[in-house]
Every structure is written in C-alpha cells, then in structure tokens.
Amino acid sequence: MDFNLTNEQKDIRELAHDFSEKEIRPVAWEYDKDSTWPGDIVEKAWEVGLMNSHISEEYGGPGLDYLSSCLIEEELGWGCSGIGTSLMCNGLASVPVVLGGSEEVKKEYLGRLLEEPKLASFCLTEPDAGSDVSGMRTTAEKKGDKYVINGAKTFITNGSHADWYTVYAKTDKEAGHRGISAFVVPRDAGVVVDKKEDKLGQRASDTAALSFNDVEIPEGNLLGEENKGFKLAMMTLDRTRPGVSAMAVGIGRAAFEFATEYAKERVQFGVPIAMHQAIQFMIADMATKTEAARLLVWQSAALLDQGKRNTLASSHAKRFAADSAMEIAVDAVQIYGGYGFIKEYPVEKMMRDAKIMQLYEGTSQIQRLVIARETLLPRKAEAPAEAAEASATA
Ligand SMILES: Cc1cc2nc3c(=O)[nH]c(=O)nc-3n(C[C@H](O)[C@H](O)[C@H](O)COP(=O)(O)OP(=O)(O)OC[C@H]3O[C@@H](n4cnc5c(N)ncnc54)[C@H](O)[C@@H]3O)c2cc1C
C-alpha cells in the first residue's frame, strides 16, 4: 500500500492550498458575517481550474481522479467550507448527468460549466422528504415529447445562482423510491427561487427553496431510465461523499491548527496552556481524528479510482469525518476558553460550519444505517461501482 501522492496530485493540492490561503481565508470571516455570496471567488476558482474537476477530458474538463478532487476539497474546507461548498456543488449536480445523460445532454450541460463560471444544483430534498426521499411529492408527467414538472425543493445549495438543476421527481406516484426519475432542468425553463435561507453556518454558501410550476423540459432531459432516479442519486452520493468528507477533514484540520497555536501562546497558571495535560490530550485527540478521517476519505476515493464499489467506505468516511470535524471544532472553542465564544476569534465560525457536515449529503444517522446494512448484509466488495443499487435513503 502506497500512501504517496503523485506529482500531479501534489501540484493540485498546492494549487488549492495557495488559493485557499490567498483568496479565501482573508475574506472568509467577512463573507460569513453578512452571508455574502462569493461570486468573485467562484470566478477566480474557475479561472485557475479548481472547479469541475470531475468532468472528463472527453467533454473538455480536466478529468481528475477522485483522490485529487478530495485533495482540493480538504484545502477549500480548510480555507472556508461555506465558500468551498459553493465551489464544489457543481460536482454533486453533474455526476447524475455524467452517469445518466445522453451524449447530447452531456455536451450541452457539462459544456456550459466549462465554457463559463456557471453553477448547477442538485435538487433531491423536499420540505416533507429529507432522509426519506421516497416521500417526495414533485412530479414529472410525460406529455407528448416533453415532461412537465410540478413541485417544490428545499435546502438547495447554489439554488439562487444555478444555470441548471438536476431535479428528482416522481414519474410513478405509487411506487415509492422506485417511482423516482432524474432530469436536467435549465433555469430558464421557469425554475422559481422562493427564498434564500439564513443559516447557522456556511453562511457564504447559498441555500435556497425552489418551486417548479408546469416547468416543461424535452423528454431527452431524462437522466438514465424512467423510475431509476433513486439508484442514480445513490450512485451519485457514493461518488460525492468522499469529497464532502474531505471538506470536513479540512474544517477539523483548520480548527486544530488554530487551537494548537493558541494553546502555545495563552498563558494561565504561569505556563502556556499547552503545558497542561488536559489541553495536550484534546490536541492529541484532534490530531488523531484528523489523520484517521483523512485515511478513510482517501480509501473511499481510491476505491472509486480503482472502479470498485465504495458505498460502505464512503459512509465510513462521511460519518467519521463529519463527526470528527464537529468534535474537533467544539474542542477548539474549549481550548480558546471564553475567547472561543467571541466572533472576533476564528474558531466559533468553524464550530458553526462543522455542524452542517453531519447533516447534508446524508446525516450521520443515515450513514450509520448504510454502515449497518452493509455490515449485516454485505455485498461483494469487488463489484464494480456501477452495480451499486442502494436501498437506503439519501
Ligand atoms: C445548508 C444545507 C445545504 C443542503 N444542500 C442540499 C442540496 O444541495 N440538495 C439537496 O437535495 N439537499 C440539500 N440539503 C438537504 C439535506 O441533505 C437534508 O437536510 C438532509 O438529508 C436531512 O433531511 P431533513 O433535513 O429533512 O431531516 P430529516 O430527514 O427530517 O431528519 C431529522 C432527524 O432525524 C434523523 N433520522 C431520519 N430518519 C432516520 C432513521 N431512519 N433513523 C435514524 N435517524 C433518522 C436524521 O438523522 C435527523 O437527525 C441541504 C441541507 C442544508 C441544511
């Protein structure tokens, strides 16, 4: 087993780190304060080639491996995970297009992301259908050579700014998760942005409620087969959870670094607080959690790069990296003492930002459900990634 990165992987990590350090960190706390949309940073990240890393060379993208994408996401999470989420959401929205789109749809919609710094959103969640997406109410009705979409989606990242949307809707209302289909919907087909959410953390990212009122799209915008949208969503999450977990590693690492520096400087009882064993043990646990989470992330990405199914590995990574980021951020606030609670100091933002990692792309409870199912009813580890048909919720 070789944990060394290739020169290309080291280069992309350095590029992402420099970008985070120079373009994201200096404005992160300001953008968080007023919930400022980081459109200028999206443009710069697009220019330097840090977005759309998953799109293959065939469609004009860089076609990076999954591990490289994780290296980028850890560095962006280290800079600001709110801005990082805004930059990385195109991956979540476009994997279903990569997996299920016709040649024409791939060229058109992946092409749009590569020609200009445009954004796309992934629309699965609804007000009454979160972890259990089988309860979704949005419908897509076939009328002639078109589908007509009606319904509402909630908590959609980049929803206010996206140029197009991957939308999940019922094509068979009675069939639960087996009646869901996926579609690509351009914004100008009539997608309505109802509201932008005001959030606890990741305040620079945009999270919107959307509605679809008789939105007509060509039948060719169906992704994959009719009523196979749930499987497509699960296959998408297998591919994106390593990256989102890497972002959690980045948050934890940043909080750990701030807390370590602070512990060396802050003097109480005549010595730096780092001399107190209680502080040392918190720092030691932060370090171990960061390292262990990164190893799980790398494993879940490496399986994908080898063409293997990674459902279990990506849930291990997501569960552990998200929970670790939260624990590390809480301990970082503890190490800062009262100052940790004050907005002028850096770690309170990280504590707020870390929380979402336990919620989106499958909560920590849902990851445990997947882990339990895969453990109690194991499937062949060597099965190709495409064979994955998950039966748990998003
Ligand atoms: C900032 C933000 C960005 C988001 N971005 C997107 C996006 O771009 N696209 C998108 O489609 N969605 C997005 N989401 C939605 C997110 O994926 C959901 O919020 C998440 O899946 C949980 O759904 P819910 O909020 O309805 O919670 P619920 O499903 O109602 O869950 C509530 C609680 O019950 C627990 N729970 C539910 N079922 C079980 C069970 N069977 N066993 C044990 N515990 C259970 C959950 O873990 C949670 O603790 C985003 C959410 C937020 C807050």
Side-chain angles (χ1 to χ4, degrees):
M1 193 167 297
D2 182 358
F3 288 102
N4 290 311
L5 300 175
T6 63
N7 287 337
E8 290 76 23
Q9 287 167 336
K10 285 181 194 159
D11 288 347
I12 195 80
R13 182 169 66 177
E14 197 181 324
L15 178 74
H17 183 76
D18 285 352
F19 186 84
S20 243
E21 196 167 41
K22 295 189 183 108
E23 305 291 346
I24 297 182
R25 271 276 172 103
V27 295
W29 280 265
E30 202 53 41
Y31 280 36
D32 170 78
K33 191 164 135 253
D34 298 327
S35 201
T36 307
W37 169 245
D40 54 335
I41 301 179
V42 171
E43 283 179 22
K44 286 181 195 163
W46 185 86
E47 288 286 340
V48 300
L50 285 172
M51 290 176 67
N52 306 311
S53 59
H54 56 286
I55 300 180
S56 68
E57 288 170 346
E58 195 184 343
Y59 299 101
L64 294 185
D65 53 39
Y66 285 96
L67 181 54
S68 295
S69 300
C70 288
L71 299 173
I72 296 175
E73 295 211 35
E74 180 179 332
E75 296 312 317
L76 297 178
W78 175 89
C80 170
S81 64
I83 296 174
T85 292
S86 314
L87 299 178
M88 291 295 115
C89 182
N90 277 4
L92 179 62
S94 52
V95 170
V97 174
V98 171
L99 293 174
S102 65
E103 272 309 298
E104 204 184 336
V105 161
K106 282 188 207 173
K107 280 196 183 121
E108 168 67 25
Y109 289 95
L110 300 178
R112 288 190 191 191
L113 304 181
L114 297 164
E115 281 154 19
E116 281 179 64
K118 286 189 170 164
L119 299 168
S121 290
F122 179 85
C123 307
L124 185 64
T125 306
E126 297 189 4
D128 295 323
S131 301
D132 179 10
V133 297
S134 69
M136 73 170 56
R137 293 192 193 153
T138 297
T139 55
E141 205 183 327
K142 186 91 187 282
K143 286 194 178 158
D145 58 357
K146 295 193 185 316
Y147 282 97
V148 181
I149 301 183
N150 278 292
K153 295 285 172 181
T154 193
F155 300 151
I156 304 305
T157 299
N158 288 354
S160 314
H161 302 277
D163 176 64
W164 56 267
Y165 304 83
T166 304
V167 180
Y168 294 83
K170 284 272 176 75
T171 32
D172 181 347
K173 286 187 224 169
E174 312 306 324
H177 73 268
R178 290 202 171 82
I180 296 172
S181 303
F183 302 89
V184 59
V185 180
R187 184 192 189 95
D188 58 16
V191 180
V192 175
V193 178
D194 293 319
K195 79 164 170 167
K196 176 186 164 165
E197 304 290 354
D198 187 8
K199 308 194 296 294
L200 171 76
Q202 293 206 342
R203 290 173 54 77
S205 74
D206 173 75
T207 311
L210 308 175
S211 56
F212 302 79
N213 306 310
D214 286 330
V215 171
E216 284 189 5
I217 50 162
E219 62 182 347
N221 285 22
L222 172 71
L223 300 173
E225 291 172 48
E226 227 182 54
N227 299 327
K228 294 284 167 63
F230 180 78
K231 180 179 169 184
L232 200 60
M234 295 305 111
M235 287 170 67
T236 299
L237 294 171
D238 281 353
R239 284 158 177 77
T240 56
R241 280 178 182 155
V244 87
S245 313
M247 197 166 285
V249 175
I251 301 174
R253 188 181 115 214
F256 159 69
E257 287 174 6
F258 277 116
T260 306
E261 284 312 306
Y262 186 81
K264 287 195 272 188
E265 283 163 17
R266 174 73 174 168
V267 174
Q268 288 295 284
F269 296 97
V271 291
I273 58 170
M275 298 294 285
H276 302 305
Q277 196 181 53
I279 299 289
Q280 290 171 11
F281 281 12
M282 271 195 269
I283 286 174
D285 286 349
M286 288 172 163
T288 306
K289 284 172 189 166
T290 304
E291 293 294 312
R294 185 183 296 113
L295 287 177
L296 286 175
V297 168
W298 285 18
Q299 171 179 259
S300 65
L303 285 171
L304 283 177
D305 287 330
Q306 292 161 19
K308 292 180 184 158
R309 204 166 72 82
N310 75 335
T311 306
L312 176 59
S314 70
S315 282
H316 278 315
K318 173 72 170 49
R319 203 294 285 163
F320 189 77
D323 289 355
S324 294
M326 192 70 242
E327 290 160 13
I328 293 169
V330 168
D331 280 353
V333 170
Q334 193 66 24
I335 288 174
Y336 268 71
Y339 298 96
F341 205 64
I342 305 297
K343 283 194 179 285
E344 206 180 318
Y345 292 81
V347 288
E348 68 89 34
K349 170 180 180 296
M350 284 162 189
M351 189 171 133
R352 290 185 285 106
D353 287 351
K355 186 62 209 169
I356 189 61
M357 309 314 291
Q358 296 177 303
L359 299 170
Y360 66 13
E361 292 210 26
T363 66
S364 290
Q365 287 72 36
I366 294 303
Q367 304 309 330
R368 285 180 175 89
L369 281 185
V370 175
I371 293 166
R373 186 199 63 212
E374 293 276 324
T375 304
L376 295 166
L377 296 167
R379 285 178 284 174
K380 282 195 186 119
E382 295 300 313
E386 281 64 27
E389 182 169 13
S391 58
T393 54

